[in-house]
Structures are given as C-alpha cells and as structure tokens.
Amino acid sequence: MKLKTFFINLLFVLLISQAFGQAPTSYNNPILPGYHPDPSICRVGDDYYLVNSSFVWFPGLPIYHSKDLVNWEHIGYGITNSETISFNGLKDKHGLFAPTIRHHNGTFYIINTCVGCKMNFYITATNPAGPWSDPIWLPSASGIDPSLFWDEDGKSYYTGMESVADKKWSTQTVVYNQEIDLNTNQLIGKRHHLTFGHANNAAYAEGPHIYKINGKYILLLSEGGTEQYHAMSVHHSDSINGPYQADIINPVLTHRHLGKDYPIYAVGHGDLVKTQNGEWWAVVLGKRLNNGITTLARETFLAKVEFEGQTPIFNKGKGVVLSRQKRPDLPWTPFPAPPKKDDFTTHKIDLRWCSIRTPEKEFYKLNDGKLKLNLHKEVLDSLVHSSMLIQRIVDHNFEASTAMSFSTSKINEESGLCLYRTNENHFTLMKNDHEIILTEVFKGNRKVIAKVKFGKKNVILKAKAQDMMIQFYIGESSDHLIPIGPQLSLITIADGQGNAQFNGAGIGIYATSNGQSTKNKAHFDWFQYNGLDLDTTLTD
Ligand code: 6LW
C-alpha cells in the first residue's frame, strides 16, 4: 500500500471511530460510585444483574443491569411496597443488609435481611426491573447475610451467618448452611456450621456465597469487619455441607496489609460471576479515601478473577483492586446517562430519588412540571419518615441546586435543601416565613450556622462540595447566588462519625412543619446534581 493511501485509510478509521465512539479497552473503578455496598451479581445469558444493600432508604435494594460489567443502568428496586415492610423506628445503619441475587428456573430471587424488623426474607420476580413479590419471611432462618444455592440434584440451600453461643474469641461468628424448602419457606434438616473464618482469630465471618465449580463446592466469604481489615476468604469442599478446608492463599482478597492511607481500602464482601465467554469477575465493596475521610461510603468495584485449580486469583499479578484495568471481554454497551437536571416533567419520579424510612402516606406529587412536596410534621432528626427526597451523592466533589417556590406565614413551616447521612449527621438550608437558615447537625448537636432575611417566594438553593468542604448558596436566580455561612467540613457526613455507619449520604429536598399539622406544600421546579470529580471518561 502506498504511504499516502495508508494515511488516508488511517485517517478514515480514526474519523469513523471518533464519530461512533470507539469502545475503550479499560475501565475505571468503582463501577458503581457512592453508596453501593455489599454487591451481589448474577448472569442470565448475556445480561448481568446487580443488587446492593440500602438500609433504611426507600425504595430499597437498588437493582442494576449491564451487558459488559462496566456500564450499569439502574432498572428498579426490590422493595417498593411500604405496606409490606417498615423502616420506621429503625436507625440509619439498620434495615436492609447485604442481599444476594440469583436466577433459577426462570425466576429471579433476592434473599435478604431486614435488621431491626422481621429479619430474613426473599422476594421473586420474572423481570428483575420488577414487579418483585412481597417479602416472603423466613422465621426459621437466623442471623444475617443470606445466600441461596441450587445444587445439581435440585435441592436448594440457604447459607447465612450467625453469632456463636460460646465464643472462643470476641469477634467469632459462624457461616452455616441448611436446606431450604422454597414451597413451605422453612429451613429443613440439619444446620451445618461450615466455618468461623480462615484463621483462629478471624473476625466476623459473613457475606457467604457457595458456588459449584468443576464438581467441587467453593465457599466465598468476608472476614475482618467492613472497615480497614475487611477481606475475602475461600474454603473448599467435596460436599455441600462440608467439611470445608480453608484455601492456602487466604485471604484471597484484602487491602488490610496496604496501610491505613491506601486510597482504596476496606475491600471485601463480594460475589463472583462467570461471563458467557468463560471469564470470571468479582464485584466487591471498597471505600475511597479523600483527604483522609470517606463521604461516599462503601462503593462497588470490579476485579478480574482467574482460577488456578480451585483457587481464585484476584487481578493476577497485582492481588488488589485497581482503579483502572483492562475491561471484560464483552460487547461494550453504554446506557444513556440520566439527565443531570430533573425538571420534574416526568409522570413517575426518576429512579434516583429515595426517601428515608418508609412513607405511610403520600408526601409528594408530580404535576404541572413541578414536584409538590407536602410539609409533614415529622423532622429528619427523628427515626420516622419525614417529607424528604434525596439521591445518592456519587462524587467527592459535586454541586447540587434546586429552584423552590414556597410561601408561608408561619415560622414553624420550612422547606429547602438537605444533605443527609443520618438523623444525627446532616445539613439543611431551609426557608421559612421570613428568612433562610443554614443548620448543621453533627453527632446529634444542632448548630445554626447562618440566617439571612429572605421574604420572596421563589429561591434558588445550592450546595457545592469541593476538597471535603461544602459551601451553601442562595439567590433569586442561578447566576446571582451569594454564599450563606462559611465553608463547612464534610466530616459531618463522613463514615465513622457518630452514628454514620454502613449506609451512605444523599442530597435533595425536605419540607417540614415541625410538629404542627398543615396542608402547605413547597413547589420545586427542578433539581440539578453535577459531579465535579476529575473527568474519568474512558480513553486509552
Ligand atoms: C453486611 C456485612 C457487611 O451485612 O456489612 O461488609 C454489613 N459486610 O456482610 C452491612 O452492610
């Protein structure tokens, strides 16, 4: 080929790939940023489905779909009926713990625990986007972190973890296995203790899943607690109920030996999936440190797994979860990103919006291109549902703003923006009859940070988080905003502060009449969330 023709062809290929967006060969972790802990995954044909814990957020158990394990589309929730389960009265760290998603004989199953309510249950669906069945409670199952496994003989098994009666060490728990009859919903036969973890001081053996690979049973579990010492170990057996032998390379995955400042830490609690092309991958939880703290809570990461015999090797040659690596050998299938600005013109509320704890009555309406939020007498400092809608924050640096129209003649009635982690850790920027008030509640201590006189009905409220500090703004239009209060530390919503544990943080809107009854509503025209983290667009 002549040099000129070669360059013309090369230019043509480059132009075509630019025009059609060439599939990258690598991906960035986490694959699901922000509050996405305890991931569980299953494959049906060429489709992958993933579910996360959601504690007292409602709807509960977010479900994602992917074709390539990197691009995920939020398709629904497992728990959507507030008449069948209640999170009211529960702490933010209780509610829906680690779920497992599986597919068997044409039916999807999610098995889960509601801590603080009726404990273990499962739900079923033929379409993972829903509708899902009401919870089918399993009173004969104890402990948390249930998983389901179907053996080749058709029998179904429940694997879970529970506490040990006569502990030999204080953090000792046991992973158990028992046959489950999915017609009577009873655990039947003998309960078999499989392991206390791989070492004689293993902490919190939990999050178990059983797989059958090449005729042998593999038990994957988490150990070490869900903080810095988190890990995953593997055990092997020729028989479903054991005895299980700890793999000699345990823990098969951890970052506990990398020091407390390693940027991805607390890695563990995961699930394995085999692709249609025969590759193995794992989804695991991990946390990212930013300026020494974590505001995004536990996120979902993807790691490659290669079996050497029966031993899974995570990211062979590296042994750790990576922030960027070669992607799975699957057709690149991005989904359209949901719009950053929700202008509330949809008939049904966007899937990103959640409330905290279960609503017992209607608290918002979408009409005339507005979200109309009822003022309820409940407040977000309490452990019952208040009139609040939030979405996960998924970036360390972000800005969120909303256009609100609200008038009242009563000082107890207020509405505005909130950044919520727990009932004891949050920020609110609220307008009442004559002023706008910025409040910080940290470890249960309430502090009014700033008050500004504001008599108008329409207002833009904004928060901008950068470098672990947050600045709030108010104004009559988006291009004329003024700061309210000083920059404040985001430690208020960070992991491990006060009662901030297990769950994650969200930003959104909130309206309350502080204990009094009212029919008043606040109208929201739009809400916009923009991530400001460095561009992680995939290019090679
Ligand atoms: C979950 C346990 C865990 O049940 O944290 O990281 C608990 N692992 O398995 C709550 O998410």
Side-chain angles (χ1 to χ4, degrees), residues 12 16 29 32 44 77 90 108 111 115 174 222 238 286 317-318 331 355 411 429 470 480 500:
F12 180 72
I16 290 284
N29 261 322
L32 287 169
V44 183
Y77 290 95
L90 302 190
F108 287 89
I111 190 159
V115 173
V174 69
S222 316
D238 290 329
K318 303 277 194 300
S355 66
I411 194 160
L429 180 62
I470 189 154
H480 287 104

PDB file of all heavy atoms in Angstrom, residues 12 16 29 32 44 77 90 108 111 115 174 222 238 286 317-318 331 355 411 429 470 480 500:
ATOM      1  N   PHE A  12      -9.332   7.807   7.898  1.00  0.00           N
ATOM      2  CA  PHE A  12     -10.722   7.384   7.773  1.00  0.00           C
ATOM      3  C   PHE A  12     -11.137   6.570   9.009  1.00  0.00           C
ATOM      4  O   PHE A  12     -12.161   6.824   9.641  1.00  0.00           O
ATOM      5  CB  PHE A  12     -10.868   6.549   6.492  1.00  0.00           C
ATOM      6  CG  PHE A  12     -12.272   6.074   6.268  1.00  0.00           C
ATOM      7  CD1 PHE A  12     -13.263   6.979   5.885  1.00  0.00           C
ATOM      8  CD2 PHE A  12     -12.611   4.737   6.434  1.00  0.00           C
ATOM      9  CE1 PHE A  12     -14.568   6.546   5.691  1.00  0.00           C
ATOM     10  CE2 PHE A  12     -13.907   4.303   6.238  1.00  0.00           C
ATOM     11  CZ  PHE A  12     -14.889   5.197   5.865  1.00  0.00           C
ATOM     12  N   ILE A  16     -13.961   7.595  11.721  1.00  0.00           N
ATOM     13  CA  ILE A  16     -15.120   6.715  11.972  1.00  0.00           C
ATOM     14  C   ILE A  16     -15.196   6.395  13.465  1.00  0.00           C
ATOM     15  O   ILE A  16     -16.249   6.498  14.094  1.00  0.00           O
ATOM     16  CB  ILE A  16     -14.984   5.391  11.147  1.00  0.00           C
ATOM     17  CG1 ILE A  16     -15.174   5.694   9.679  1.00  0.00           C
ATOM     18  CG2 ILE A  16     -15.951   4.316  11.631  1.00  0.00           C
ATOM     19  CD1 ILE A  16     -16.604   5.941   9.255  1.00  0.00           C
ATOM     20  N   ASN A  29     -12.598   2.024  38.106  1.00  0.00           N
ATOM     21  CA  ASN A  29     -13.307   1.642  39.315  1.00  0.00           C
ATOM     22  C   ASN A  29     -13.510   2.858  40.184  1.00  0.00           C
ATOM     23  O   ASN A  29     -12.668   3.765  40.138  1.00  0.00           O
ATOM     24  CB  ASN A  29     -12.465   0.619  40.100  1.00  0.00           C
ATOM     25  CG  ASN A  29     -12.924  -0.813  39.859  1.00  0.00           C
ATOM     26  OD1 ASN A  29     -14.120  -1.067  39.754  1.00  0.00           O
ATOM     27  ND2 ASN A  29     -11.964  -1.721  39.795  1.00  0.00           N
ATOM     28  N   LEU A  32     -19.781   1.272  40.367  1.00  0.00           N
ATOM     29  CA  LEU A  32     -20.963   1.964  40.918  1.00  0.00           C
ATOM     30  C   LEU A  32     -20.480   2.842  42.064  1.00  0.00           C
ATOM     31  O   LEU A  32     -20.297   2.369  43.198  1.00  0.00           O
ATOM     32  CB  LEU A  32     -22.018   0.965  41.395  1.00  0.00           C
ATOM     33  CG  LEU A  32     -22.788   0.251  40.283  1.00  0.00           C
ATOM     34  CD1 LEU A  32     -23.613  -0.899  40.836  1.00  0.00           C
ATOM     35  CD2 LEU A  32     -23.712   1.216  39.537  1.00  0.00           C
ATOM     36  N   VAL A  44     -27.714 -13.876  33.399  1.00  0.00           N
ATOM     37  CA  VAL A  44     -28.718 -14.677  32.687  1.00  0.00           C
ATOM     38  C   VAL A  44     -28.441 -14.456  31.212  1.00  0.00           C
ATOM     39  O   VAL A  44     -28.686 -13.354  30.695  1.00  0.00           O
ATOM     40  CB  VAL A  44     -30.152 -14.250  33.056  1.00  0.00           C
ATOM     41  CG1 VAL A  44     -31.172 -15.143  32.351  1.00  0.00           C
ATOM     42  CG2 VAL A  44     -30.363 -14.297  34.557  1.00  0.00           C
ATOM     43  N   TYR A  77     -36.042  -1.413  41.817  1.00  0.00           N
ATOM     44  CA  TYR A  77     -35.785  -1.716  43.225  1.00  0.00           C
ATOM     45  C   TYR A  77     -36.507  -3.007  43.594  1.00  0.00           C
ATOM     46  O   TYR A  77     -37.600  -3.284  43.069  1.00  0.00           O
ATOM     47  CB  TYR A  77     -36.346  -0.608  44.117  1.00  0.00           C
ATOM     48  CG  TYR A  77     -35.599   0.703  44.040  1.00  0.00           C
ATOM     49  CD1 TYR A  77     -36.028   1.709  43.181  1.00  0.00           C
ATOM     50  CD2 TYR A  77     -34.483   0.942  44.832  1.00  0.00           C
ATOM     51  CE1 TYR A  77     -35.356   2.924  43.115  1.00  0.00           C
ATOM     52  CE2 TYR A  77     -33.808   2.149  44.771  1.00  0.00           C
ATOM     53  CZ  TYR A  77     -34.243   3.142  43.918  1.00  0.00           C
ATOM     54  OH  TYR A  77     -33.586   4.339  43.855  1.00  0.00           O
ATOM     55  N   LEU A  90     -36.336   2.572  62.836  1.00  0.00           N
ATOM     56  CA  LEU A  90     -35.020   1.942  62.697  1.00  0.00           C
ATOM     57  C   LEU A  90     -33.913   2.984  62.552  1.00  0.00           C
ATOM     58  O   LEU A  90     -34.095   4.018  61.908  1.00  0.00           O
ATOM     59  CB  LEU A  90     -34.964   1.029  61.463  1.00  0.00           C
ATOM     60  CG  LEU A  90     -35.988  -0.101  61.391  1.00  0.00           C
ATOM     61  CD1 LEU A  90     -35.640  -1.046  60.244  1.00  0.00           C
ATOM     62  CD2 LEU A  90     -36.040  -0.867  62.693  1.00  0.00           C
ATOM     63  N   PHE A 108     -36.083 -14.858  39.181  1.00  0.00           N
ATOM     64  CA  PHE A 108     -35.049 -14.139  39.940  1.00  0.00           C
ATOM     65  C   PHE A 108     -35.410 -14.184  41.415  1.00  0.00           C
ATOM     66  O   PHE A 108     -36.593 -14.039  41.775  1.00  0.00           O
ATOM     67  CB  PHE A 108     -34.959 -12.677  39.492  1.00  0.00           C
ATOM     68  CG  PHE A 108     -34.326 -12.511  38.140  1.00  0.00           C
ATOM     69  CD1 PHE A 108     -35.099 -12.540  36.987  1.00  0.00           C
ATOM     70  CD2 PHE A 108     -32.954 -12.348  38.028  1.00  0.00           C
ATOM     71  CE1 PHE A 108     -34.509 -12.413  35.737  1.00  0.00           C
ATOM     72  CE2 PHE A 108     -32.361 -12.208  36.780  1.00  0.00           C
ATOM     73  CZ  PHE A 108     -33.142 -12.238  35.631  1.00  0.00           C
ATOM     74  N   ILE A 111     -32.464 -12.649  48.206  1.00  0.00           N
ATOM     75  CA  ILE A 111     -32.644 -13.055  49.599  1.00  0.00           C
ATOM     76  C   ILE A 111     -31.913 -12.037  50.457  1.00  0.00           C
ATOM     77  O   ILE A 111     -30.844 -11.529  50.069  1.00  0.00           O
ATOM     78  CB  ILE A 111     -32.193 -14.518  49.816  1.00  0.00           C
ATOM     79  CG1 ILE A 111     -32.617 -15.006  51.203  1.00  0.00           C
ATOM     80  CG2 ILE A 111     -30.713 -14.722  49.555  1.00  0.00           C
ATOM     81  CD1 ILE A 111     -32.687 -16.514  51.316  1.00  0.00           C
ATOM     82  N   VAL A 115     -32.719  -5.923  59.226  1.00  0.00           N
ATOM     83  CA  VAL A 115     -32.252  -5.869  60.619  1.00  0.00           C
ATOM     84  C   VAL A 115     -33.082  -4.833  61.374  1.00  0.00           C
ATOM     85  O   VAL A 115     -33.245  -3.702  60.915  1.00  0.00           O
ATOM     86  CB  VAL A 115     -30.745  -5.537  60.667  1.00  0.00           C
ATOM     87  CG1 VAL A 115     -30.278  -5.311  62.104  1.00  0.00           C
ATOM     88  CG2 VAL A 115     -29.947  -6.646  60.007  1.00  0.00           C
ATOM     89  N   VAL A 174     -20.216 -17.603  62.865  1.00  0.00           N
ATOM     90  CA  VAL A 174     -20.143 -18.839  62.085  1.00  0.00           C
ATOM     91  C   VAL A 174     -20.972 -18.710  60.801  1.00  0.00           C
ATOM     92  O   VAL A 174     -22.036 -18.090  60.796  1.00  0.00           O
ATOM     93  CB  VAL A 174     -20.599 -20.059  62.928  1.00  0.00           C
ATOM     94  CG1 VAL A 174     -22.087 -20.027  63.231  1.00  0.00           C
ATOM     95  CG2 VAL A 174     -20.232 -21.364  62.242  1.00  0.00           C
ATOM     96  N   SER A 222     -16.709 -13.097  53.596  1.00  0.00           N
ATOM     97  CA  SER A 222     -15.960 -11.910  54.029  1.00  0.00           C
ATOM     98  C   SER A 222     -15.524 -12.120  55.466  1.00  0.00           C
ATOM     99  O   SER A 222     -16.163 -12.870  56.211  1.00  0.00           O
ATOM    100  CB  SER A 222     -16.822 -10.666  53.997  1.00  0.00           C
ATOM    101  OG  SER A 222     -17.553 -10.638  52.833  1.00  0.00           O
ATOM    102  N   ASP A 238     -15.821 -31.138  49.083  1.00  0.00           N
ATOM    103  CA  ASP A 238     -16.373 -32.054  48.080  1.00  0.00           C
ATOM    104  C   ASP A 238     -17.870 -32.228  48.295  1.00  0.00           C
ATOM    105  O   ASP A 238     -18.567 -32.821  47.476  1.00  0.00           O
ATOM    106  CB  ASP A 238     -15.712 -33.431  48.205  1.00  0.00           C
ATOM    107  CG  ASP A 238     -14.265 -33.364  47.753  1.00  0.00           C
ATOM    108  OD1 ASP A 238     -13.961 -32.536  46.864  1.00  0.00           O
ATOM    109  OD2 ASP A 238     -13.433 -34.106  48.312  1.00  0.00           O
ATOM    110  N   GLY A 286     -15.663  -1.557  48.412  1.00  0.00           N
ATOM    111  CA  GLY A 286     -14.438  -0.892  48.856  1.00  0.00           C
ATOM    112  C   GLY A 286     -14.774   0.554  49.139  1.00  0.00           C
ATOM    113  O   GLY A 286     -15.874   1.027  48.807  1.00  0.00           O
ATOM    114  N   GLY A 317      -1.234 -11.197  39.462  1.00  0.00           N
ATOM    115  CA  GLY A 317      -0.004 -10.403  39.349  1.00  0.00           C
ATOM    116  C   GLY A 317      -0.070  -9.109  40.143  1.00  0.00           C
ATOM    117  O   GLY A 317       0.941  -8.454  40.352  1.00  0.00           O
ATOM    118  N   LYS A 318      -1.258  -8.735  40.572  1.00  0.00           N
ATOM    119  CA  LYS A 318      -1.436  -7.491  41.353  1.00  0.00           C
ATOM    120  C   LYS A 318      -2.009  -7.829  42.737  1.00  0.00           C
ATOM    121  O   LYS A 318      -1.523  -7.336  43.748  1.00  0.00           O
ATOM    122  CB  LYS A 318      -2.412  -6.534  40.643  1.00  0.00           C
ATOM    123  CG  LYS A 318      -2.017  -6.144  39.231  1.00  0.00           C
ATOM    124  CD  LYS A 318      -1.024  -4.988  39.269  1.00  0.00           C
ATOM    125  CE  LYS A 318      -0.826  -4.303  37.934  1.00  0.00           C
ATOM    126  NZ  LYS A 318      -0.319  -5.160  36.863  1.00  0.00           N
ATOM    127  N   PRO A 331     -19.248  -7.260  24.820  1.00  0.00           N
ATOM    128  CA  PRO A 331     -19.582  -6.131  23.927  1.00  0.00           C
ATOM    129  C   PRO A 331     -19.855  -4.853  24.716  1.00  0.00           C
ATOM    130  O   PRO A 331     -20.679  -4.851  25.638  1.00  0.00           O
ATOM    131  CB  PRO A 331     -20.840  -6.606  23.191  1.00  0.00           C
ATOM    132  CG  PRO A 331     -21.288  -7.836  23.891  1.00  0.00           C
ATOM    133  CD  PRO A 331     -20.167  -8.381  24.695  1.00  0.00           C
ATOM    134  N   SER A 355     -36.659   8.074  49.628  1.00  0.00           N
ATOM    135  CA  SER A 355     -36.929   8.722  50.902  1.00  0.00           C
ATOM    136  C   SER A 355     -36.219   7.926  51.988  1.00  0.00           C
ATOM    137  O   SER A 355     -35.697   6.841  51.729  1.00  0.00           O
ATOM    138  CB  SER A 355     -38.424   8.851  51.159  1.00  0.00           C
ATOM    139  OG  SER A 355     -39.002   7.596  51.318  1.00  0.00           O
ATOM    140  N   ILE A 411     -43.843  30.504  61.263  1.00  0.00           N
ATOM    141  CA  ILE A 411     -42.401  30.318  61.477  1.00  0.00           C
ATOM    142  C   ILE A 411     -42.028  28.832  61.581  1.00  0.00           C
ATOM    143  O   ILE A 411     -40.898  28.435  61.310  1.00  0.00           O
ATOM    144  CB  ILE A 411     -41.912  31.139  62.686  1.00  0.00           C
ATOM    145  CG1 ILE A 411     -40.394  31.206  62.660  1.00  0.00           C
ATOM    146  CG2 ILE A 411     -42.437  30.586  64.014  1.00  0.00           C
ATOM    147  CD1 ILE A 411     -39.817  32.326  63.455  1.00  0.00           C
ATOM    148  N   LEU A 429     -30.708  23.615  54.514  1.00  0.00           N
ATOM    149  CA  LEU A 429     -30.751  25.028  54.112  1.00  0.00           C
ATOM    150  C   LEU A 429     -32.233  25.320  53.853  1.00  0.00           C
ATOM    151  O   LEU A 429     -32.774  24.947  52.812  1.00  0.00           O
ATOM    152  CB  LEU A 429     -29.919  25.212  52.837  1.00  0.00           C
ATOM    153  CG  LEU A 429     -29.835  26.623  52.267  1.00  0.00           C
ATOM    154  CD1 LEU A 429     -29.182  27.585  53.252  1.00  0.00           C
ATOM    155  CD2 LEU A 429     -29.016  26.620  50.962  1.00  0.00           C
ATOM    156  N   ILE A 470     -17.793  22.107  52.136  1.00  0.00           N
ATOM    157  CA  ILE A 470     -19.039  22.420  51.433  1.00  0.00           C
ATOM    158  C   ILE A 470     -19.421  23.879  51.668  1.00  0.00           C
ATOM    159  O   ILE A 470     -19.295  24.394  52.772  1.00  0.00           O
ATOM    160  CB  ILE A 470     -20.182  21.453  51.836  1.00  0.00           C
ATOM    161  CG1 ILE A 470     -21.390  21.657  50.936  1.00  0.00           C
ATOM    162  CG2 ILE A 470     -20.569  21.572  53.310  1.00  0.00           C
ATOM    163  CD1 ILE A 470     -22.273  20.461  50.801  1.00  0.00           C
ATOM    164  N   HIS A 480     -27.088  34.615  40.028  1.00  0.00           N
ATOM    165  CA  HIS A 480     -26.841  35.620  41.076  1.00  0.00           C
ATOM    166  C   HIS A 480     -26.970  34.982  42.447  1.00  0.00           C
ATOM    167  O   HIS A 480     -27.886  35.295  43.217  1.00  0.00           O
ATOM    168  CB  HIS A 480     -27.822  36.790  40.945  1.00  0.00           C
ATOM    169  CG  HIS A 480     -27.507  37.666  39.792  1.00  0.00           C
ATOM    170  ND1 HIS A 480     -28.228  37.633  38.624  1.00  0.00           N
ATOM    171  CD2 HIS A 480     -26.515  38.571  39.608  1.00  0.00           C
ATOM    172  CE1 HIS A 480     -27.693  38.483  37.770  1.00  0.00           C
ATOM    173  NE2 HIS A 480     -26.653  39.063  38.339  1.00  0.00           N
ATOM    174  N   ALA A 500     -22.840   7.422  61.818  1.00  0.00           N
ATOM    175  CA  ALA A 500     -22.729   7.207  60.358  1.00  0.00           C
ATOM    176  C   ALA A 500     -21.955   5.924  60.075  1.00  0.00           C
ATOM    177  O   ALA A 500     -20.723   5.921  60.075  1.00  0.00           O
ATOM    178  CB  ALA A 500     -22.050   8.402  59.701  1.00  0.00           C
TER     179      ALA A 500
END
